[in-house]
Amino acid sequence: MDGKGWNTWGEGAAFGLQNGMAVIPYALLKYYRKLNLSGSEAMLLIHLLSFRQVEGIEFPSLEELQNVTGRSISVIAGELQKLMKEGFISIDGDNDELRDIHYEQYNFSGLYSKLGAYLAEAAQEAAQGKTAGHAQTSRTAGRYSGNPAAAAPGEVEESRNLFSIFEKEFGRPLSPMECETISGWVDQDRYPEELILLALKESVFAGKVHFRYIDRILLEWARNRVKNAQDVKNYSQNFRGR
């Protein structure tokens, strides 16, 4: 980048900083899906926090929210209603007697409480897992060394750590993107853990141990209503018999 380019970049950065900065809880960015929030709902919370911190607007209008999100007022209203119903935000009202006006503002204590509770629970689980984690992972991973179609559903459902099993099969730590992919299979696509592990084993047997191949297996099974080990077995037999 030449001197002119650096000047342009610097001017843009300076302009952005002069327009203010909002402090967003990192836990919200990292764990919003664990709280069953969609990406747009999490972004709406971020906008509400930003309006308060940067612009001093405690209760932005639907039109103001529409301008920054680019989504329809009806969608925004629906998301706000859900956030209030599930206790992430609430609305406080008060009167300014000096100016004789009534005003409202969003209260984020529910959001902070939920984030705090999740972090405390995660920390407790991590502490408990330090003593038995290694042995449990070895025992759990060992259950899935056979044919995936023959895996017992009860055994598969005992798994509590998909990440550890995937790391064992891949022979390395998972990347953040790979962890996000597994979380998406569970939280968004609603694939049973049993099915995810069976797809992993199919990829191992095929010699194609990578996430794209596993995702294609899961998608193919979903299209054909394959939901458990028996369905996988039946589907495999029908597929080979074609």
Side-chain angles (χ1 to χ4, degrees):
M1 185 182 294
D2 57 20
K4 183 178 179 180
W6 281 113
N7 289 337
T8 302
W9 183 90
E11 291 170 358
F15 178 79
L17 293 173
Q18 289 172 4
N19 275 270
M21 299 178 63
V23 179
I24 307 301
Y26 178 63
L28 172 60
L29 298 176
K30 188 174 183 180
Y31 299 116
Y32 69 89
R33 290 178 61 180
K34 300 296 184 182
L35 300 180
N36 294 321
L37 289 171
S38 67
S40 61
E41 290 163 352
M43 183 57 67
L44 183 56
L45 285 169
I46 291 171
H47 280 303
L48 293 176
L49 290 167
S50 299
F51 267 111
R52 166 176 288 186
Q53 296 178 26
V54 180
E55 301 188 38
I57 301 176
E58 301 280 353
F59 195 76
S61 66
L62 292 176
E63 289 77 10
E64 288 172 321
L65 292 172
Q66 182 184 37
N67 288 337
V68 295
T69 62
R71 290 176 292 124
S72 69
I73 287 179
S74 60
V75 170
I76 296 171
E79 290 180 343
L80 287 172
Q81 184 177 10
K82 178 189 173 184
L83 291 172
M84 287 187 285
K85 181 179 180 181
E86 296 185 359
F88 287 94
I89 57 175
S90 59
I91 298 176
D92 294 338
D94 204 352
N95 294 311
D96 186 334
E97 297 181 357
L98 294 177
R99 292 183 292 175
D100 193 26
I101 59 174
H102 177 80
Y103 65 89
E104 296 176 320
Q105 61 183 14
Y106 284 108
N107 185 322
F108 298 93
S109 59
L111 169 64
Y112 299 140
S113 295
K114 289 178 181 291
L115 286 173
Y118 175 79
L119 292 173
E121 181 180 354
Q124 183 178 11
E125 290 179 355
Q128 293 173 346
K130 285 182 180 179
T131 55
H134 179 71
Q136 180 181 359
T137 299
S138 300
R139 291 195 302 271
T140 305
R143 294 191 180 104
Y144 306 107
S145 58
N147 189 313
E155 292 180 352
V156 178
E157 290 171 358
E158 291 177 4
S159 170
R160 289 295 180 268
N161 198 333
L162 285 172
F163 297 128
S164 295
I165 297 173
F166 268 75
E167 287 181 342
K168 180 177 177 65
E169 293 291 355
F170 276 65
R172 60 169 175 79
L174 299 179
S175 69
M177 184 66 71
E178 290 169 338
C179 291
E180 187 74 9
T181 298
I182 295 175
S183 297
W185 289 337
V186 175
D187 299 333
Q188 291 186 344
D189 299 320
R190 301 295 182 185
Y191 294 136
E193 289 187 10
E194 172 187 17
L195 213 60
I196 295 172
L197 291 170
L198 292 174
L200 170 62
K201 291 307 174 182
E202 288 281 2
S203 73
V204 171
F205 295 144
K208 301 178 180 179
V209 188
H210 52 79
F211 275 78
R212 249 184 229 175
Y213 188 75
I214 297 171
D215 191 59
R216 286 201 297 268
I217 292 174
L218 290 168
L219 183 59
E220 180 68 18
W221 285 348
R223 288 172 177 169
N224 289 275
R225 299 182 180 180
V226 174
K227 299 178 180 179
N228 52 48
Q230 186 60 47
D231 289 345
V232 170
K233 184 177 181 179
N234 294 338
Y235 178 78
S236 299
Q237 290 175 345
N238 293 335
F239 183 79
R240 295 189 185 99
R242 292 176 185 175

